């Protein structure tokens, strides 16, 4: 015995019929509407008395009925108890925006299995459709971003083979996508960059964090283009690395600007040193001139003449060395990084500023440390950094003082410390000293570029500059440079070439 | 007594060496010092008539040494020499004038130096002779 009475069933049926999210129409054999649920009436903006009993042609627009073949479908459903039809229909109710429905048309049978009516269920899928359209638009937008980006955008499979290659990559490398597809990305890197690139991709393929590196790209026509890469792994739903995405920025222009900046800061340093340089050359010239005149004054004293000649020779060598150092400083940076003995770079830098120091009654001290390993570096750039730090130290000691240079080394780092007994740096200024154009010197005497450029040079070497300072006691600038183990290239060092 | 000794103060050893021999060759009594303090020590001895001082010394400014010499020994004459490119600066000119000092820029003609030295020393010896007569 069913616990429900007939009334209970009717209430339950009406409840279901009217609360379902679908719009429901029950159709009779004459193809008239037998019943329409509340949802249908609300969505189609129709009154119940205009709908129930109405012909299907009066409920739906003719165009829709013809397009769907609705009447034929309903007739088929009456003939075949196992009939079912579903699909999409778009329907615009009066004064409402177009809506999209998924419909299911199926026969309703009685207890004996005879078809009594046909039911049309309509599910509103307008939102879902709109969202997937947006996803498509977003995807198209994203694709066009990649296509029109000025940076290289590359995707690789986890074995480093190139899968996609955007137009910027084609433009910069001169390789088209079909020439490059499935080639490993490192095959386009310069010799010294190949291992760096492979190492980074290996780590990414194992699920490592994003990598930033700089290498030279060798173009199809053999040019070197410096590129800063940001590489990251793309994870699949299972958490495996499905692909690696690389965005590369062409650094050619930045390198040129940096080289210009470095050159202009160098010129400023030369300006500061000019007075000292004049002194450095005039002194030996003065000695040579006086000694030559002494030789003329004592034509018969062979011994004195010989001594004069020796001193003239010594002082000419001294002046020549000054000029040589000066030229070394002024010439553009060397093309390549080499193994460099920092002792030598420190000594050359000290020679350049020795006069500036002497003029200001500053003593310089340096005990070479020949046990320190050589570092991969561009010696002329490092010389500029050291010279700049030494000149800054001189500037901090107007009343004279001392500069101590020490070279210490661990297995992985070589550190050069420049310690002065100068004025020191105010704590609030300490955070600004590496900012471009920050200077405490009068207009025309400092560009405010010396330290920022030094910082960027040291950073390019994979190193860093540490500063300690106490007002009234002095400052200490420590340049830390990485030691490159033979055979394992230092991965944060990129090669830079200035043209 | 005629103060005829010349003191040369210059940290350039070779410059001291050449000037010492040049001036000795001309018959002067010469002593040299490499720093300002050493120079002042030599000046404490009697008989110094002229000090030739380099403007840049490792311990003191040559001009400060010159000012001290004038204050301590007003009868000593001064010639300043320098490799610095500031001979045209009016501040330096005024300072030299106030010290009653001569100036020579390196490199200089030895004849210019000896002419200056002779002029200074003969004036001294004239003064000394006059003093003797008085």
């Amino acid at each position: 015995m069913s616990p429900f009475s007939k009334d209970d069933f009717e209430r339950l049926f009406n409840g279901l019929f009217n609360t379902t999210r679908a719009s429901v129409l029950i159709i009779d054999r004459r193809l008239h509407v037998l019943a329409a649920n509340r949802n249908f009436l609300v969505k189609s903006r129709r009154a119940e008395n205009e709908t129930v009993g109405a012909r299907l042609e009066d409920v739906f627009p003719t165009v829709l009925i013809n397009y769907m073949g609705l009447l034929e479908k309903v007739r088929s459903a009456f003939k075949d108890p196992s009939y079912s039809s579903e699909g999409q229909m778009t329907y615009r109710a009066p004064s409402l925006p177009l809506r999209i429905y998924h419909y299911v048309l199926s026969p309703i049978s009685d207890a004996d299995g005879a078809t009594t009516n046909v039911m049309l269920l309509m599910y509103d899928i307008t939102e879902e459709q709109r969202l997937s359209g947006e996803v498509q638009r977003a995807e198209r937008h994203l694709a066009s971003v990649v296509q029109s980006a000025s940076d290289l955008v590359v995707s690789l499979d986890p074995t480093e083979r190139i899968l996609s290659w955007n137009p910027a990559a084609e433009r910069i490398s001169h390789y088209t996508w079909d020439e490059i597809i499935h080639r490993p990305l490192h095959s386009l890197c310069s010799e010294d960059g190949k291992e760096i690139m492979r190492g980074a991709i290996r780590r990414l393929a194992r699920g490592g964090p994003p990598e930033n590196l700089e290498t030279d790209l060798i173009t199809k026509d053999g040019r070197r283009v410096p590129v800063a890469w940001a590489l990251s792994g793309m994870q699949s739903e299972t958490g495996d690395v499905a692909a690696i995405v690389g965005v590369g920025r062409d650094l050619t222009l930045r390198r040129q600007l940096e080289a210009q900046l470095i050159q202009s800061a160098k010129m400023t340093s030369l300006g500061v040193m000019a007075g000292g340089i004049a002194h450095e050359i005039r002194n030996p010239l003065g000695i040579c001139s006086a000694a030559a005149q002494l030789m003329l004054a004592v034509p018969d004293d062979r011994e004195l003449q010989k001594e004069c000649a020796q001193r003239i020779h010594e002082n000419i060598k001294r002046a020549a060395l000054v000029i040589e150092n000066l030229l070394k400083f002024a010439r553009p940076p060397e093309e390549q990084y080499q193994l460099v003995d920092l002792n030598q770079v420190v000594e050359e830098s000290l020679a350049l500023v020795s006069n500036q120091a002497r003029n200001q009654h500053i003593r310089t001290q340096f005990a070479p440390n020949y046990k320190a390993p050589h570092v991969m570096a561009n010696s002329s750039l490092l010389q500029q950094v050291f010279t700049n730090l030494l000149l800054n130290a001189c500037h901090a000691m107007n009343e004279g003082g001392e500069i101590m240079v020490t070279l210490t080394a661990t297995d992985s780092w070589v550190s050069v410390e420049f310690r002065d007994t100068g004025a020191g740096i105010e704590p609030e200024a300490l955070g600004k000293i590496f900012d471009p154009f920050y200077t405490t010197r009068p207009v025309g005497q400092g560009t405010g570029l010396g330290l920022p450029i030094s910082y960027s040079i040291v950073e390019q070497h994979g190193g860093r500059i540490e500063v300690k300072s106490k007002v009234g006691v002095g400052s200490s600038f420590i340049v830390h440079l990485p030691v490159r183990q033979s055979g394992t290239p230092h991965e944060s060092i990129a090669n830079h070439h200035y043209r | 007594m005629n103060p005829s000794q010349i003191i040369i103060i210059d940290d350039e050893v070779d410059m001291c060496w050449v000037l010492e021999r040049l001036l000795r060759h001309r018959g002067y009594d010469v002593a040299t010092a490499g720093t300002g303090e050493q120079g002042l020590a030599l000046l404490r001895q009697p008989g110094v008539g002229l000090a030739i001082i380099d403007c840049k010394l490792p311990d003191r400014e040559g001009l400060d040494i010159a000012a001290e010499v004038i204050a301590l020994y007003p009868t000593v004459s001064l010639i300043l020499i320098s490799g610095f490119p500031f001979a045209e600066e009016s501040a330096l000119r005024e300072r030299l004038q106030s010290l009653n000092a001569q100036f020579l820029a390196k490199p200089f003609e030895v004849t210019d130096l000896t002419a200056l030295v002779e002029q200074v020393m003969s004036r001294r010896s004239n003064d000394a002779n006059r003093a003797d007569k008085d």
Side-chain angles (χ1 to χ4, degrees):
Chain A
M1 235 336 252
S2 165
F4 293 118
S5 66
K6 200 180 163 219
D7 284 352
D8 288 335
F9 268 117
E10 204 175 303
R11 266 201 303 279
L12 184 64
F13 171 79
N14 282 333
L16 273 173
F17 191 58
N18 284 319
T19 53
T20 178
R21 233 201 88 226
S23 301
V24 187
L25 278 188
I26 310 289
I27 303 155
D28 65 17
R29 281 190 178 276
R30 296 176 302 148
L31 310 190
H32 285 209
V33 174
L34 180 69
N37 76 342
R38 194 182 300 147
N39 207 323
F40 180 87
L41 298 172
V42 169
K43 287 223 156 149
S44 60
R45 290 271 167 107
R46 293 181 70 92
E48 190 170 12
N49 57 11
E50 286 171 358
T51 308
V52 174
R55 298 185 309 152
L56 276 180
E57 297 94 310
D58 296 329
V59 174
F60 293 111
T62 318
V63 182
L64 178 64
I65 288 186
N66 292 341
Y67 179 74
M68 281 173 71
L70 183 60
L71 301 181
E72 290 72 36
K73 281 177 174 162
V74 174
R75 282 189 198 106
S76 305
F78 274 108
K79 282 178 199 149
D80 176 4
S82 62
Y83 181 90
S84 175
S85 169
E86 55 187 287
Q88 250 182 44
M89 60 190 278
T90 51
Y91 173 46
R92 186 198 297 272
S95 80
L96 283 181
L98 191 81
R99 301 208 70 86
I100 306 163
Y101 295 90
H102 180 79
Y103 72 86
V104 179
L105 191 77
S106 54
I108 304 174
S109 343
D110 64 11
D112 306 325
T115 300
T116 53
N117 298 103
V118 167
M119 177 169 69
L120 177 65
L121 280 169
M122 294 161 62
Y123 301 98
D124 189 337
I125 54 166
T126 314
E127 279 307 298
E128 288 84 342
Q129 289 288 311
R130 190 177 63 78
L131 284 176
S132 83
E134 268 178 16
V135 168
Q136 277 174 20
R137 269 195 299 281
E139 278 169 357
R140 276 199 297 274
H141 179 69
L142 212 59
S144 76
V145 167
V146 169
Q147 289 297 300
S148 58
S150 59
D151 288 342
L152 299 94
V153 181
V154 183
S155 67
L156 316 167
D157 68 14
T159 63
E160 212 204 322
R161 297 190 311 163
I162 292 169
L163 299 177
S164 71
W165 189 247
N166 75 339
E170 292 190 334
R171 195 187 64 242
I172 293 165
S173 71
H174 289 201
Y175 285 109
T176 60
W177 180 75
D178 26 319
E179 287 173 311
I180 211 79
I181 182 165
H182 289 172
R183 277 180 62 179
L185 183 55
H186 79 259
S187 69
L188 301 177
C189 296
S190 60
E191 278 309 314
D192 35 22
K194 281 185 166 57
E195 255 321 298
I196 297 173
M197 180 60 85
R198 284 171 75 157
I201 288 169
R202 266 199 302 271
R203 285 190 296 278
L204 284 167
R206 287 197 301 262
E211 301 255 350
N212 290 290
L213 56 94
E214 289 179 18
T215 61
D216 281 2
L217 190 86
I218 306 295
T219 65
K220 193 179 176 183
D221 49 344
R223 285 176 305 114
R224 296 176 84 108
V225 177
V227 175
W229 288 101
L231 299 159
S232 51
M234 219 164 73
Q235 286 183 344
S236 68
E237 280 145 20
T238 57
D240 299 330
V241 175
I244 289 153
V245 178
V247 178
R249 174 149 294 181
D250 179 353
L251 297 177
T252 309
L253 191 63
R254 199 170 96 191
R255 288 277 172 274
Q256 283 166 358
L257 289 174
E258 275 174 5
Q260 280 169 18
L261 261 185
I262 285 173
Q263 202 59 23
S264 70
K266 201 183 267 182
M267 288 303 134
T268 310
S269 297
L270 275 182
V272 173
M273 289 189 287
I277 289 160
H279 185 252
E280 188 79 329
I281 293 173
R282 278 176 173 171
N283 261 317
L285 280 183
I287 291 163
C288 290
S289 164
Q293 292 172 80
L294 177 58
M295 284 175 87
L296 292 173
V298 291
D300 302 325
D301 191 338
R302 302 288 298 173
E303 199 51 41
L304 192 58
Q305 282 203 332
K306 195 176 154 196
E307 263 196 88
C308 283
Q310 274 167 356
R311 279 164 211 262
I312 288 171
H313 185 211
E314 285 302 314
N315 281 282
I316 286 174
K317 279 199 287 188
R318 198 176 125 195
L321 190 68
V322 175
I323 290 167
E324 199 180 304
N325 278 334
L326 200 59
L327 289 175
K328 245 188 207 169
F329 183 79
R331 82 171 158 215
E334 284 155 17
E335 289 278 308
Q336 294 280 354
Y337 281 48
Q338 290 170 331
L339 278 176
V340 170
D341 177 7
L342 290 179
N343 288 298
Q344 201 187 327
V345 183
V346 170
E347 269 161 10
E348 284 168 1
S349 309
L350 280 169
L352 271 175
V353 301
S354 66
N355 242 278
Q356 185 75 23
R358 194 158 58 208
N359 299 341
Q360 292 182 234
H361 311 297
I362 293 164
R363 277 184 302 153
T364 57
Q365 267 188 30
F366 173 57
N369 175 0
Y370 294 113
K371 284 184 192 153
H374 293 190
V375 297
M376 270 315 266
N378 183 322
S379 60
S380 51
L381 287 179
L382 282 189
Q383 192 194 38
Q384 191 180 344
V385 172
F386 293 175
T387 307
N388 183 261
L389 293 177
L390 287 166
L391 285 175
N392 283 352
C394 289
H395 177 73
M397 294 187 287
N398 282 330
E399 308 293 314
E402 206 171 332
I403 300 175
M404 283 137 294
V405 186
T406 44
L407 215 165
T408 53
T410 65
D411 285 346
S412 43
W413 296 91
V414 181
S415 306
V416 189
E417 178 176 9
F418 298 85
R419 191 151 46 93
D420 66 52
T421 56
I425 304 163
E426 298 285 344
E428 52 269 29
L430 210 51
K432 297 184 209 152
I433 54 173
F434 291 109
D435 294 350
F437 306 112
Y438 176 79
T439 179
T440 55
R441 295 185 206 177
V443 174
Q445 288 184 32
T447 55
L449 285 175
L451 276 179
I453 285 173
S454 298
Y455 185 88
S456 97
I457 290 173
V458 171
E459 213 177 33
Q460 279 170 24
H461 282 78
R464 64 198 172 84
I465 301 181
E466 185 188 344
V467 191
K468 297 175 192 166
S469 187
K470 203 166 175 185
V471 173
V473 177
S475 303
S476 170
F477 283 75
I478 309 165
V479 178
H480 300 284
L481 293 164
V483 177
R484 183 170 158 163
Q485 309 291 334
S486 60
T488 54
H490 193 281
E491 274 152 355
S492 66
I493 300 183
N495 280 279
H496 299 285
H497 306 271
Y498 294 90
R499 276 165 276 252
Chain B
M1 171 199 158
N2 183 9
S4 59
Q5 200 187 31
I6 300 173
I7 303 287
I8 300 165
I9 312 174
D10 195 331
D11 58 328
E12 291 283 346
V13 179
D14 287 354
M15 185 55 93
C16 287
W17 183 90
V18 178
L19 290 185
E20 186 180 356
R21 268 145 200 83
L22 267 170
L23 293 173
R24 275 211 191 123
H25 182 69
R26 300 241 161 198
Y28 296 106
D29 177 13
V30 183
T32 66
T35 67
E37 289 302 330
Q38 283 168 18
L40 285 173
L42 288 179
L43 276 146
R44 273 181 221 121
Q45 311 296 320
V48 180
L50 167 67
I52 300 174
I53 306 172
D54 184 41
C55 281
K56 284 288 173 186
L57 294 167
D59 56 340
R60 306 263 306 267
E61 289 291 320
L63 280 166
D64 295 343
I65 296 288
E68 204 167 320
V69 170
I70 285 293
L72 292 171
Y73 318 104
T75 58
V76 173
S77 300
L78 295 170
I79 298 175
L80 280 134
I81 53 175
S82 173
F84 267 85
F86 52 29
E88 293 76 28
E89 272 182 23
S90 56
L92 175 77
R93 287 271 162 225
E94 279 166 29
R95 188 93 196 271
L96 288 167
Q97 214 155 21
S98 74
L99 296 170
N100 198 21
Q102 303 293 330
F103 180 80
L104 278 177
K106 291 179 186 176
F108 46 78
E109 290 300 313
V110 167
T111 46
D112 290 346
L113 176 71
T114 49
L116 264 182
V117 170
E118 260 149 42
Q119 183 193 323
V120 167
M121 296 310 267
S122 67
R123 197 173 60 220
R124 300 204 141 270
S125 93
N126 286 342
D127 290 351
N129 288 341
R130 219 174 293 128
D132 286 348
K133 280 175 200 158
D134 288 346

